[in-house]
Amino acid sequence: MNIRAFEEKHPRIDASAWVDETAVVIGEVTLGASVSVWPGCVIRGDIHRIEIGARSNIQDGSVLHVSHDSRFMPGGAPLIVHEDVTVGHQVVLHGCEIGHHCLIGIGARVLDRAVLEPFTMLGAGSLVTPGQALEGGWLWLGAPARRVRMLTDREREYLDYVAENYVRLAARHRAGSTAASPQ
């Protein structure tokens, strides 16, 4: 079963959200309206909560996890992904906060207590170190991520376009494939 409880923690998934059958969602995870979770993703809210806001998409092979409350990290670190966020293929999000209308590039990593302000574009392969805060409205690249330049109007429009496109694509997947059956 790919969507399951852990101890007394149960996933809460909006009826309009779509989770691919090969993705795994465990524990205290909330998926908002029209969220999509693509093949091979792992979203594990076993030791703290994960919240994913409306119309956000978590693309293939991404891993989302959290940090527990301990003397090394008082209060732990939940994972909060706000609305209209695009999380690219094979991204790792760990105990961080992603503001609305962000795009996280393929293979990027965002670590404990890092914060991406709204309208941030993080380039492919970038690393956001623990506790790092990325100012919104900018393109960030590198390991560690560095501010490169302000987003253009076209790039800001693209942030909305990608989120909307993934809502439409998930609806097509939910409706079923028209692919031929194996013979």
Side-chain angles (χ1 to χ4, degrees), residues 31-176:
L31 304 181
S34 299
V35 164
S36 58
V37 179
W38 295 86
C41 290
V42 175
I43 302 176
R44 185 161 55 96
D46 53 354
I47 56 175
H48 214 311
R49 75 186 190 284
I50 297 175
E51 300 172 10
I52 302 175
R55 298 170 305 282
S56 290
N57 60 88
I58 312 301
Q59 295 177 19
D60 313 65
S62 291
V63 175
L64 282 61
H65 196 230
V66 291
S67 287
H68 69 282
D69 178 25
S70 72
R71 67 185 174 101
F72 302 102
M73 187 169 292
L79 173 57
I80 311 297
V81 176
H82 290 273
E83 297 179 350
D84 301 298
V85 171
T86 294
V87 176
H89 309 291
Q90 295 186 334
V91 165
V92 174
L93 299 179
H94 200 280
C96 56
E97 183 171 358
I98 310 298
H100 60 84
H101 296 91
C102 287
L103 185 145
I104 313 301
I106 294 169
R109 294 148 296 158
V110 185
L111 303 180
D112 288 342
R113 296 187 174 163
V115 176
L116 276 63
E117 293 181 357
F119 296 97
T120 295
M121 188 177 286
L122 180 63
S126 294
L127 170 66
V128 182
T129 58
Q132 186 176 5
L134 305 190
E135 182 181 358
W138 292 81
L139 170 64
W140 293 76
L141 299 173
R146 290 176 298 287
R147 192 170 68 178
V148 175
R149 62 171 171 76
M150 290 186 72
L151 296 179
T152 65
D153 289 342
R154 184 169 174 84
E155 287 167 331
R156 289 175 74 98
E157 287 177 33
Y158 182 71
L159 297 175
D160 287 333
Y161 167 79
V162 174
E164 292 167 4
N165 186 57
Y166 267 88
V167 169
R168 290 189 298 271
L169 184 57
R172 291 170 55 198
H173 278 267
R174 180 192 291 276

